[in-house]
Structures are given as C-alpha cells and as structure tokens.
Amino acid sequence: MDISVELTFSPLQDDFEQHIIDFIKKLRASGLTILENPLSTQVFGSYDEVMEVLNTEIKTAFELMDRGLLFMKIVKSDRSDYEPHF
C-alpha cells in the first residue's frame, strides 16, 4: 500500500532553522521520494517504508531539541505525480 505524507516540522525554540535542515536532509537520504516547498515536506512510498523512516527520524529530531511541533497528514495513495488540471 502506497501513501503520501505531508509534514510541517516546527521546533519551538530560537535555534529552529538547523533542526529543520537536519530533519529534511535525513529524509532526503532515506531513498524515499521527497518533495519540498516553503511550507512543508512531502514523503511518498510504501506505508511500511515511509512509517519506518518517519518513526526513526521524528524520534531523533525530537530528542535533539527542547520543544517541537510536527503536523502530519497521511493520504492512502502515492500523490507524487500530482499536477493541477487548471
């Protein structure tokens, strides 16, 4: 089963930028399909692979900061090839 996940990662501390950069770089290195924009990062792949990577990287990111917030939306399908039709 393929999924698409949209993540918005927000460390709630002054040195937030490097935490976000490190998190995205680890997602890029995972081998999964990753799309980025200024507001969020999207991850695409099989459910088991995506959730395994996210479980590890979210835990690591949270351990490296004092406070943080992560919004996550999951869609049951691979939407990586989506193109607007308007």
Side-chain angles (χ1 to χ4, degrees), residues 52-69:
E52 181 179 346
V53 168
L54 292 180
N55 185 48
T56 299
E57 299 309 334
I58 291 169
K59 182 177 182 179
T60 299
F62 279 175
E63 290 174 341
L64 294 172
M65 70 178 96
D66 295 328
R67 292 177 307 279
L69 178 65

Side-chain angles (χ1 to χ4, degrees), residues 21-83:
I21 291 168
D22 292 343
F23 182 69
I24 292 172
K25 283 183 176 181
K26 288 181 179 181
L27 293 179
R28 287 177 183 166
S30 71
L32 297 170
T33 301
I34 309 293
L35 297 176
E36 302 162 29
N37 65 54
L39 299 176
S40 66
T41 301
Q42 292 87 42
V43 182
F44 306 91
S46 76
Y47 180 89
D48 291 333
E49 290 178 282
V50 170
M51 296 309 284
E52 181 179 346
V53 168
L54 292 180
N55 185 48
T56 299
E57 299 309 334
I58 291 169
K59 182 177 182 179
T60 299
F62 279 175
E63 290 174 341
L64 294 172
M65 70 178 96
D66 295 328
R67 292 177 307 279
L69 178 65
L70 180 84
F71 290 101
M72 179 169 32
K73 295 183 222 173
I74 303 174
V75 176
K76 184 186 170 192
S77 67
D78 183 335
R79 306 287 294 161
S80 61
D81 60 354
Y82 172 77
E83 292 185 30

